[in-house]
Amino acid sequence: MPEILVALYIFVLSCFIGYWVIWGVTPSLHTPLVALTNAISGIIILGALLATGLQGVGNLAEIFGFFAVLLASINIFGGFLVTQRMLAMFNKKKKK
Amino acid sequence: MPEILVALYIFVLSCFIGYWVIWGVTPSLHTPLVALTNAISGIIILGALLATGLQGVGNLAEIFGFFAVLLASINIFGGFLVTQRMLAMFNKKKKK
Amino acid sequence: MEISANTQAIAYLISAILFIFALKGLTSPASARTGNYYGMAGMLIAVLATLLGGDVQSYGFIIAGVAAGALIGGVLAARVQMTAMPQLVAALHSFVGMAAVLVAVATYLNHAALGTLNSLLMAELSVGIVIGAITFSGSVIAFGKLQGIISGQPVKFKGQHLLNLLLAVVIIGFAVDFAMHETLTSLIIMTILAFLLGFLLIIPIGGADMPVIISMLNSYSGWAAAATGFTLQNNLLIIVGALVGFSGAILSYIMCVAMNRSILHVVFGGFGGDDAAAEVSAAGQAAEKGVKSASVEDAIYWMEDASKVIIVPGYGMAVAQAQHALKDFMELLEERGVEVVFAIHPVAGRMPGHMNVLLAEADIPYDNVKEMNDVNPEFATADVALVVGANDVTNPAAKTDKSSPIYGMPILDVEKAQHVYVIKRSMRPGYSGVENLLYYQDNCSLIFGDAKDVCENLANALKGGAH
Amino acid sequence: MEISANTQAIAYLISAILFIFALKGLTSPASARTGNYYGMAGMLIAVLATLLGGDVQSYGFIIAGVAAGALIGGVLAARVQMTAMPQLVAALHSFVGMAAVLVAVATYLNHAALGTLNSLLMAELSVGIVIGAITFSGSVIAFGKLQGIISGQPVKFKGQHLLNLLLAVVIIGFAVDFAMHETLTSLIIMTILAFLLGFLLIIPIGGADMPVIISMLNSYSGWAAAATGFTLQNNLLIIVGALVGFSGAILSYIMCVAMNRSILHVVFGGFGGDDAAAEVSAAGQAAEKGVKSASVEDAIYWMEDASKVIIVPGYGMAVAQAQHALKDFMELLEERGVEVVFAIHPVAGRMPGHMNVLLAEADIPYDNVKEMNDVNPEFATADVALVVGANDVTNPAAKTDKSSPIYGMPILDVEKAQHVYVIKRSMRPGYSGVENLLYYQDNCSLIFGDAKDVCENLANALKGGAH
Ligand SMILES: NC(=O)c1ccc[n+]([C@@H]2O[C@H](COP(=O)([O-])OP(=O)(O)OC[C@H]3O[C@@H](n4cnc5c(N)ncnc54)[C@H](OP(=O)(O)O)[C@@H]3O)[C@@H](O)[C@H]2O)c1
Ligand SMILES: NC(=O)c1ccc[n+]([C@@H]2O[C@H](COP(=O)([O-])OP(=O)(O)OC[C@H]3O[C@@H](n4cnc5c(N)ncnc54)[C@H](OP(=O)(O)O)[C@@H]3O)[C@@H](O)[C@H]2O)c1
């Protein structure tokens, strides 16, 4: 199969997974969900890494790539840590 | 990606879908579920078609293929029709 | 008309989507029929896309095979009794298993003729053949036991499991040899041994455990299809295989949980046959208290003016085909203003959802039918619980008697109803072979007789009686 | 160390699985933390696999970027107030959008330098750039409105929607030109116009509607990542993009259903600003009856010996940061044997799950917190319902007044409690601008004041009072 069709297959299957996994999230964790998806959408950093790290191409691409790496990293670190912070609150058990 | 890895990706993603879609089935329809999965596992017929229809290869393969087509067809027709029969019973609404 | 490989790939994707929606349809009875149509459409698209794909060039055998299959499948589907569903399902699984073997062998022959074999391909073929062969012979045995062709007794001998293990190792050995050296003899021996292994794996399992086994084999048949998908580089087969594989696995899991047994215990246990040793303890003591038996009229007396009656159907209702009589009885009660609820235990009967299908067959509206967890709190407010050919799923020993083999299994809280009437033919135990402590409770009486006859009598008593 | 493309693909698959498990962890608070760790592990594996993949050869910029990003992200995460979560989320979305644009442009430059451009690639790049740019500028506006930098008022002018439509068409035109003729100017104009479109799309939407918009933009940011995945032939990006895309879409959907509005109405509606015309009808009549106001002592009188008190937190609790005071109050009540339940409406506050996070922050055990459908039947048995800064989610007009703009929205059945006390600062309406019929009911009194102050006074009264 050509790559674009492979991508299409994977996209379609992932959409089903997205549908089910998100509906499964308990409503009380919807705010952490938003933060977590923020973090994992930082996966765009892969594109940024490739754009920045490629040898022997224009400087402009490298600079664009640098900013992309920066922004995506903020997302990743910010997202995971704030999720962590929120979930830590939830995790405290009833004391009594 | 080589075909085997594509297959692996698709397999893994489908497993997640399988997990969620089956847990979503209401317990009262578990018997129809069994019949329906019987029907769709008749999809093995695709392999049988390819084996049988390939031109210019041994007769033995063709004969094996024929039996495979036969068995898979029994599954497909038997499975879908018996599911249909069962579901038709469920579909009757309360009369009063 | 011939379509390109890309068009074919897109058609396969569409058909995969349709299959997923087909299964998703089973989320509720309302959407289930549409779901089945999606499934049919998906299959049609997949078959057409394959036929038009350019790889298929001779159609004679195919048309013959499909036509014969359609005929046989159609007749089977139209004729089968709802109570014989487990057998039908077992038979159909065996077909998938056999088809997987045949396809793998034919694929081997084709590739050998074209000289395009390689080790990876042969390894994948071996996986497909072995899973397929085990599925086939295992399902055949399961079919035989359910249909009564083979004795349901577990066939056991010393060193059984060791033998199976050994066989598995030998099979893997031949598979490796085949994949590495293309040895045809290895292929043949491997296939034969795999058939043998399927046989040996299932023969020691008691007939009553077949439902779990069937689901397990269902799962295998899915994995066999997925393995074939890997060999043929056909993604649709992989997707469908995974869906079916999970379906079987999850259903086995659900059954095991509802019986409070592990899948290993089912496969290696040999349950429900001979050993009824541990059950003396609490049951033995209770036995001395004696069991009350009652007539149809006694039961009617408490039901005719009740405000709520809960009916608990079980395997005996299926055997006796009492569902239609029950439906009449339900309507007569409802005419008198009695609320009637059917309580379904997840493993009542002999396959998951068994009772639901039978009640639906008798036209009992599914709003009247409730699952265990929903209905259990209602028993305390019911005037009468009428147990029709159910046994294990009502046994309070599962809650109270730690030494009982069914201890820990979730049950229907029948004993909380004000009056309990149990319809069965004798004092014989149910599927698990464990005595039912319920029968020794003060509020419980047994009505001996065939479930269908008794239900008809109940209905007649309600009609006839000049109340 | 350098890994092969195949190893990399397998690493990506593992990381995709980890991400799915991360989201699945959010099924319950108990598994959520582990889920977050899975997510981190998945990200780490993905980044390492990319760095080792051989395509990345210079590390200077990367290290600098990641280090700076870690610092900024870490500080943001540590400092942000829980009440400011919506803003943070909006800011982070804008980053993803911008990153998608930058990556697409850099990819274009790289491919141009290597001479490996083709139409399909450029089309995919355009999709990535346009979605990314809209996500960016839209999120920036959303951030500004939430943070109060930009006025929350909907900015409206005639022909707005037509202009946007026109702009979209022009953007597509330039994108097609770029994909077909590799025109750099078209690329630049397209990008600028897409930024403009994002701006124009969000500016007419009122500040209060931002939560839905943010979720919508969340969804966009996912699709932007997926589009980037198509361009880079990176399957992991596609998978994650789809997951995030669905997350945003489903959350917007949930919010819209809970508010009984369509997403189109949110995007084109300009809700919650000026027009409060229709609300005279029933509300007007009720107004003449007058509203009772009460003191803290009045409320305590009914609560201190109650058997059950249901607390309904809303946006006002978040604004006033009253959750800690509420926690103290809850504990004092529980010491006196009063059962305390928190009732959460799906859109209480300003983002989904907002109240849950705040209550969790104050250490209120989540067993005490119930969702709308679970708690609604309990109001009838509650002695007191204490509404803390909630308004719309308690308005019975949603059930009774067909002319109300919030008619049909599911609400908390607060009015069924024996006594209802509402803490708020004034008679101003809530988010929807609709007057609350609840306040005119006989069993309802208002306690005017800041939520935090009042809750502290309640706690003090309970402590201090010599009961
Ligand atoms: N549903 C599943 O998926 C599944 C799967 C695996 C195992 N199982 C097992 O199957 C059992 C199901 O429980 P169950 O309560 O439904 O059935 P059961 O425990 O097997 O009991 C059935 C009862 O029906 C009576 N009976 C049989 N034929 C009858 C007839 N013609 N008229 C009246 N009564 C008749 C039998 O007593 P007499 O002989 O005295 O009449 C017997 O006590 C459970 O132990 C479960 O673990 C179920
Ligand atoms: N959660 C979401 O995801 C989401 C998304 C989109 C829209 N919304 C909308 O947001 C609304 C949420 O409803 P809600 O009942 O939580 O809030 P609301 O209807 O907006 O009402 C909040 C109330 O809190 C009071 N308040 C504000 N600050 C206060 C303070 N410091 N102390 C005491 N009271 C204070 C306000 O009255 P005073 O000014 O008189 O004090 C106001 O009546 C719904 O209309 C919903 O549709 C929610």
Side-chain angles (χ1 to χ4, degrees), chain D residues 32 50 145-146 193 196 277-278 312 335 364 372 381 393 401 465:
Chain D
T50 310
K145 292 204 176 204
L146 287 166
L193 290 183
L196 185 65
V312 179
E335 272 166 28
I364 293 169
M372 178 171 69
T381 63
V393 301
D401 181 1

Side-chain angles (χ1 to χ4, degrees), chain D residues 208-209 211-212 255 259 313-316 319-320 346-352 389-393 409 423-432 439 449-451:
Chain D
D209 260 332
V212 186
M255 280 189 266
M259 299 192 294
Y315 177 62
V319 174
V347 292
R350 285 296 179 268
M351 61 187 295
N391 191 339
D392 297 340
V393 301
M409 163 173 161
I423 304 174
K424 67 197 299 284
R425 296 163 309 173
S426 67
M427 282 303 293
R428 277 193 302 274
Y431 156 88
S432 67
Y439 306 157
D450 177 75

